[in-house]
Amino acid sequence: MVEKIVVLGSNGQIGTELVTALRKVYGELNVVACDIRRPDYDIKNSGPFEFVNVLEKDTLNSIFQKYKPTQVYLLAALLSATGEQNPKLAWDLNMNGLLNILDLAITYQTAKVYWPSSIAVFGPNSPKDNTPQYCVMDPNTVYGISKLAGERWCEYYHQKYNLDVRSIRYPGLISWKAAPGGGTTDYAIHIFHDALKKGTYASFLNAATELPMMYMDDAIRGTIELMDADASKITIRSSYNFAGVSFTPEILAAEIRKHIPEFTLTYTENDPRQNIADSWPRSIDDSFAIDEWAWKPEYDLSKLTIDMIKNLKK
Ligand code: AKB
């Protein structure tokens, strides 16, 4: 069967790299990039693009009708920091965007749907270290609340309508190709840009804030591996814990100094993102992903630092 894939939210940090990766695997014409904004040159010129707002049901319906996708990736969302600036919009976009896609996937019998969740589903009372798949979850950001509710909807549509929906709880994602989109973990990208440009960075998270992170290459590969896995292997239809590497701003700065010895790190105070970070896990237990679909990250802190610096220098 020829796969026809629609990626909604294709211009974001994940979408930019996912569309390129999917086009390599499935062919340029078989991966339709969709976003509310004009795409950058690469995406527009390497395959089909459509302007789509995931809250507009009629436009979405016409996309499903036109392409009859076998797989849909819904990436459009407001993240943790921007979500707090506009909680009602974050809830509307993150929740109703998902429900629109789940409903259309049933109507058009889409074979597989992918929707990303996040470590933001955990909260102040979740275990901080090696946070298990199943535990207390009390997110206190609108982003985290919408992701936890979305996970429940995904499982509900799977149980009730047998929809093959798959999901990963992403940690902070580190990449150089596209700008990050308003998250709490964005410092781990800005630090590389400023280290190279200015030799110094003012972190909005404090020195000891340890968070789960992952290099984008691993995240994209893991996402496609989950989508390619045999359905019989997928026992979790809410969202899989997913881990790469955990570090603090101080540890990351020390790693960057191995390549830019004069780099200095300072800290800003009273940033609202600190409270969000303090409510999240320090590290994640992803043994279900390891056991069920053989997940294995390739990038540790040293390898991702080398790759970020090499590519940003270009
Ligand atoms: C954010 O910081 O909001 C995101 C996430 C961890 O989901 N990067």
Side-chain angles (χ1 to χ4, degrees):
M1 182 181 62
V2 177
E3 298 282 350
K4 199 73 176 173
I5 302 177
V6 163
V7 180
L8 298 147
S10 58
N11 293 0
Q13 192 198 1
I14 302 172
T16 306
E17 303 208 24
L18 187 65
V19 167
T20 309
L22 289 170
R23 282 181 175 162
K24 271 193 198 127
V25 180
Y26 294 103
E28 294 182 340
L29 296 179
N30 293 322
V31 180
V32 186
C34 306
D35 205 286
I36 198 166
R37 290 169 293 134
R38 194 174 295 283
D40 77 10
Y41 182 84
D42 284 356
I43 288 188
K44 193 154 159 269
N45 287 276
S46 71
F49 174 81
E50 302 272 0
F51 282 105
V52 178
N53 177 346
V54 295
L55 294 177
E56 284 171 10
K57 285 190 192 171
D58 290 347
T59 322
L60 277 178
N61 192 61
S62 62
I63 293 292
F64 274 74
Q65 207 154 36
K66 181 169 170 188
Y67 294 103
K68 307 265 178 335
T70 56
Q71 295 185 32
V72 173
Y73 289 74
L74 170 60
L75 306 174
L78 277 201
L79 298 190
S80 57
T82 37
E84 290 311 288
Q85 285 154 22
N86 202 337
K88 295 280 162 48
L89 175 65
W91 178 257
D92 191 25
L93 175 63
N94 296 2
M95 208 74 299
N96 292 321
L98 173 62
L99 290 173
N100 287 344
I101 297 306
L102 294 177
D103 284 337
L104 283 165
I106 302 292
T107 308
Y108 286 90
Q109 298 180 341
T110 307
K112 287 183 212 169
V113 174
Y114 180 81
W115 174 79
S117 185
S118 160
I119 55 162
V121 293
F122 299 109
N125 290 296
S126 308
K128 291 264 176 251
D129 296 303
N130 247 347
T131 306
Q133 177 72 35
Y134 299 105
C135 60
V136 171
M137 296 164 96
D138 56 348
N140 56 11
T141 60
V142 69
Y143 173 64
I145 297 169
S146 70
K147 286 294 177 189
L148 184 53
E151 288 190 5
R152 305 317 308 147
W153 276 117
C154 288
E155 191 176 292
Y156 182 85
Y157 271 69
H158 176 70
Q159 283 173 358
K160 188 141 181 165
Y161 306 111
N162 205 23
L163 181 66
D164 189 346
V165 52
R166 306 178 183 200
S167 176
I168 282 172
R169 291 175 180 153
Y170 289 127
L173 298 179
I174 299 174
S175 63
W176 56 270
K177 281 191 192 139
T184 301
T185 56
D186 292 3
Y187 91 86
I189 299 172
H190 299 149
I191 194 172
F192 283 101
H193 287 268
D194 281 12
L196 285 162
K197 255 191 279 171
K198 307 179 194 160
T200 184
Y201 176 67
S203 170
F204 55 79
L205 297 185
N206 67 35
T209 309
E210 183 176 353
L211 287 171
M213 301 280 185
M214 183 179 286
Y215 202 46
M216 186 62 87
D217 297 44
D218 274 341
I220 298 292
R221 183 174 52 78
T223 303
I224 295 176
E225 282 174 10
L226 170 64
M227 287 298 271
D228 283 349
D230 197 280
S232 62
K233 298 227 166 93
I234 313 291
T235 66
I236 294 176
R237 296 300 183 158
S238 52
S239 190
Y240 279 92
N241 273 10
F242 193 52
V245 56
S246 283
F247 53 77
T248 64
E250 203 64 30
I251 292 173
L252 179 54
E255 195 62 38
I256 291 174
R257 266 184 221 112
K258 291 183 185 163
H259 309 272
I260 309 171
E262 64 285 3
F263 174 61
T264 55
L265 181 62
T266 59
Y267 296 94
T268 57
E269 273 174 26
N270 301 324
D271 191 291
R273 288 167 285 191
Q274 183 65 52
N275 285 339
I276 300 178
D278 289 342
S279 75
W280 286 355
R282 285 188 282 263
S283 58
I284 297 285
D285 173 0
D286 61 351
S287 40
F288 280 91
I290 295 169
D291 294 347
E292 295 187 0
W293 42 278
W295 165 240
K296 195 171 183 298
E298 279 174 8
Y299 284 80
D300 60 12
L301 180 57
S302 152
K303 196 170 167 194
L304 76 82
T305 303
I306 290 169
D307 209 61
M308 280 296 280
I309 291 177
K310 184 184 84 193
N311 284 296
L312 287 176
K313 263 189 183 163
K314 287 184 200 158

